[in-house]
Amino acid sequence: MNFSWALIALLSCCLLLIALPSCAGERSLHTPEILGENSHSGRDQFEIERQEMVEYQIRDRGIQDQRVLAAMSKVPRHEFVESPWKDFAYSDRPLPIGHQQTISQPYIVAYMSETAEISPDDKVLEIGTGCGYQAAILGEIAKEVYSIEIIPELAARARQTLSQLGYENIEVKTGDGYQGWVEHAPYDAIIVTAAPEKIPQALIDQLATNGKMVIPVGGGWHQDIIVLTKTEDRIIKEKTIPVRFVPMRRKLLK
Ligand code: SAH
């Protein structure tokens, strides 16, 4: 009897050690890796972390748009990153999504969504789908979302994640964002999540009158967010915050 208890204890210890995430540096034991992603406690833990993210990273830094806050509270960010990173899905930083690309820091997603001043009836264009997280936030606050990704594998994965989560108002295509997506233009808002050296003219052309474009602009890894407003007779550009996005690529990769 004693021997079987000792055996059970030993086996549990081994299982626990195997289940420990290899990159546990930033935080202590976390449920999903150990209990399994679909376990009840795992889901609750993500929910708690998501609400903390909204309070401390987003609301405390000045984001006020209730619809953006509600979207950030709802969209399961951990579903957009792969297993080793799920534990860090709600941390205050970008994370790798493969192909040397990243999922944007939560605050930046909220900032760009609020700054674009999106209404429930709006049609929005996003350049740089990546994993599809920003697209999902836009899908919560706009009527239709069109998103372009230059890396076919990322576009395919984003499409799959978004459809699994039930988003029917978001379309993702593989293509070059410099050209925009002329078939669905004009757009009430355009959000660009890769940085060009200057604002692509095609995107300005595809923005509706009174529409807003939020775009990181600059060479290398240091850029500024430019908020571009198109009125009846002019284009107004305002530089807001410094950011660090991946550069916008010129050519379709194989
Ligand atoms: N919107 C994402 C962030 C994506 S990172 C999020 O929700 O977190 C930027 C993405 O832009 C990368 O996936 C990159 O492949 C893509 N990209 C870079 N150049 C592009 C281009 N010319 N057209 C479309 N997508 C591009």
Side-chain angles (χ1 to χ4, degrees):
M1 198 62 172
N2 279 344
F3 175 74
S4 9
W5 279 115
L7 195 63
I8 289 168
L10 186 67
L11 277 174
S12 317
C13 280
C14 291
L15 282 174
L16 191 67
L17 279 175
I18 290 165
L20 275 175
S22 55
C23 50
E26 186 157 303
R27 66 172 37 155
S28 55
L29 282 186
H30 178 50
T31 45
E33 298 287 338
I34 294 168
L35 297 173
E37 270 165 47
N38 295 324
S39 75
H40 181 66
S41 317
R43 272 207 304 274
D44 285 351
Q45 185 60 29
F46 283 134
E47 173 71 31
I48 292 165
E49 291 187 12
R50 188 158 61 247
Q51 300 323 319
E52 285 176 357
M53 171 192 88
V54 171
E55 285 312 310
Y56 304 123
Q57 298 176 37
I58 296 172
R59 207 192 294 269
D60 277 4
R61 288 187 183 139
I63 302 296
Q64 291 178 345
D65 185 322
Q66 291 306 318
R67 298 175 60 248
V68 171
L69 292 168
M72 301 289 298
S73 303
K74 179 176 168 194
V75 177
R77 188 171 157 91
H78 60 277
E79 300 290 359
F80 292 83
V81 294
E82 293 187 299
S83 279
W85 297 105
K86 286 191 189 293
D87 250 6
F88 304 94
Y90 297 97
S91 58
D92 192 12
R93 56 175 163 122
L95 295 172
I97 54 168
H99 304 269
Q100 285 110 45
Q101 306 303 319
T102 55
I103 177 173
S104 304
Q105 181 191 8
Y107 171 73
I108 292 295
V109 173
Y111 174 82
M112 292 179 97
S113 307
E114 178 175 73
T115 307
E117 294 179 7
I118 294 163
S119 306
D121 278 339
D122 282 356
K123 195 199 299 180
V124 181
L125 174 68
E126 181 198 23
I127 306 298
T129 319
C131 61
Y133 177 68
Q134 169 82 73
I137 298 293
L138 296 173
E140 293 287 336
I141 62 176
K143 186 171 176 198
E144 290 165 52
V145 179
Y146 296 92
S147 186
I148 307 176
E149 170 54 54
I150 205 163
I151 300 177
E153 292 82 356
L154 289 179
R157 204 198 302 159
R159 224 177 270 126
Q160 192 187 3
T161 310
L162 292 166
S163 106
Q164 274 167 2
L165 292 172
Y167 288 98
E168 289 176 358
N169 60 342
I170 305 173
E171 246 186 76
V172 175
K173 80 163 178 180
T174 302
D176 179 7
Y178 280 100
Q179 314 305 321
W181 194 336
V182 77
E183 289 87 338
H184 302 289
Y187 299 95
D188 303 296
I190 299 181
I191 288 190
V192 183
T193 65
E197 287 186 17
K198 65 192 239 329
I199 303 179
Q201 186 58 44
L203 300 185
I204 301 177
D205 295 343
Q206 290 173 29
L207 188 64
T209 304
N210 298 322
K212 271 192 194 302
M213 184 185 329
V214 183
I215 179 168
V217 181
W221 289 90
H222 296 277
Q223 312 111 19
D224 292 297
I225 291 283
I226 304 290
V227 181
L228 180 151
T229 310
K230 191 176 190 177
T231 69
E232 291 281 352
D233 52 3
R234 63 197 182 112
I235 302 289
I236 302 159
K237 291 180 201 161
E238 188 195 348
K239 194 191 272 194
T240 62
I241 56 168
V243 284
R244 191 172 178 184
F245 278 86
V246 296
M248 196 160 154
R249 295 171 188 223
R250 277 266 162 212
K251 291 219 172 68
L252 264 183
L253 295 175
K254 197 191 84 63

